[in-house]
Amino acid sequence: QVQLVESGGGSVQAGGSLRLSCAVSGHPYSRYCMGWFRQTPGNEREGVASIDSYGSTAYANSVKGRFTISRDNAKNTLYLQMNGLKPEDTAMYYCAATTKNVCWLPLSVRQIAYWGQGTQVTVSS
């Protein structure tokens, strides 16, 4: 059974930082493309950052230069370092896993096989 468990969300003031973590179990994590998505009420889920099994990354234009996605294959954990947070970054953030080791980046929702339960990030001005 595949499980993706996010942690690290919270409330922060604009300009602050947070690091999200996603612990993966029951999935050959190190071989497959992974990503972070976010969603606000009434809006579609959107891709934030993606990483493939070779370490190549891709980012949404809105977060380039501020967010960094990384993976620790030894710990089966995916990370999202978020710096310079803005109020518009406020959303529920989801960890996502594919079953592909070769992917078009950035990942889209239709490429995702598994989702975490989400962690809330709130940025106040």
Side-chain angles (χ1 to χ4, degrees), residues 40-51:
T40 54
N43 293 308
E44 294 184 352
R45 196 168 294 188
E46 63 174 5
V48 175
S50 310
I51 187 167

Side-chain angles (χ1 to χ4, degrees), residues 33 37 50 97-100 102-115:
C33 306
F37 289 72
S50 310
T98 72
T99 54
K100 306 293 184 182
V102 178
C103 306
W104 289 107
L105 298 183
L107 295 173
S108 63
V109 170
R110 63 179 181 272
Q111 294 173 269
I112 303 304
Y114 303 102
W115 295 96

Side-chain angles (χ1 to χ4, degrees), residues 36-38 46-50 58-61 63 67 80 93 107:
W36 289 95
F37 289 72
R38 66 187 182 188
E46 63 174 5
V48 175
S50 310
Y59 298 90
N61 287 334
V63 307
F67 290 12
L80 184 67
Y93 283 72
L107 295 173

Side-chain angles (χ1 to χ4, degrees), residues 7-89:
S7 60
S11 297
V12 65
Q13 289 191 327
S17 298
L18 286 172
R19 189 176 81 155
L20 305 184
S21 299
C22 173
V24 182
S25 59
H27 180 269
Y29 161 82
S30 64
R31 293 162 46 190
Y32 294 147
C33 306
M34 303 281 295
W36 289 95
F37 289 72
R38 66 187 182 188
Q39 188 172 24
T40 54
N43 293 308
E44 294 184 352
R45 196 168 294 188
E46 63 174 5
V48 175
S50 310
I51 187 167
D52 68 13
S53 59
Y54 302 100
S56 296
T57 60
Y59 298 90
N61 287 334
S62 59
V63 307
K64 280 181 181 177
R66 300 188 296 121
F67 290 12
T68 302
I69 187 172
S70 62
R71 62 194 305 165
D72 185 333
N73 290 339
K75 294 183 178 180
N76 274 17
T77 302
L78 183 73
Y79 301 100
L80 184 67
Q81 178 67 44
M82 305 185 294
N83 299 328
L85 283 161
K86 304 176 181 180
E88 52 263 44
D89 294 319

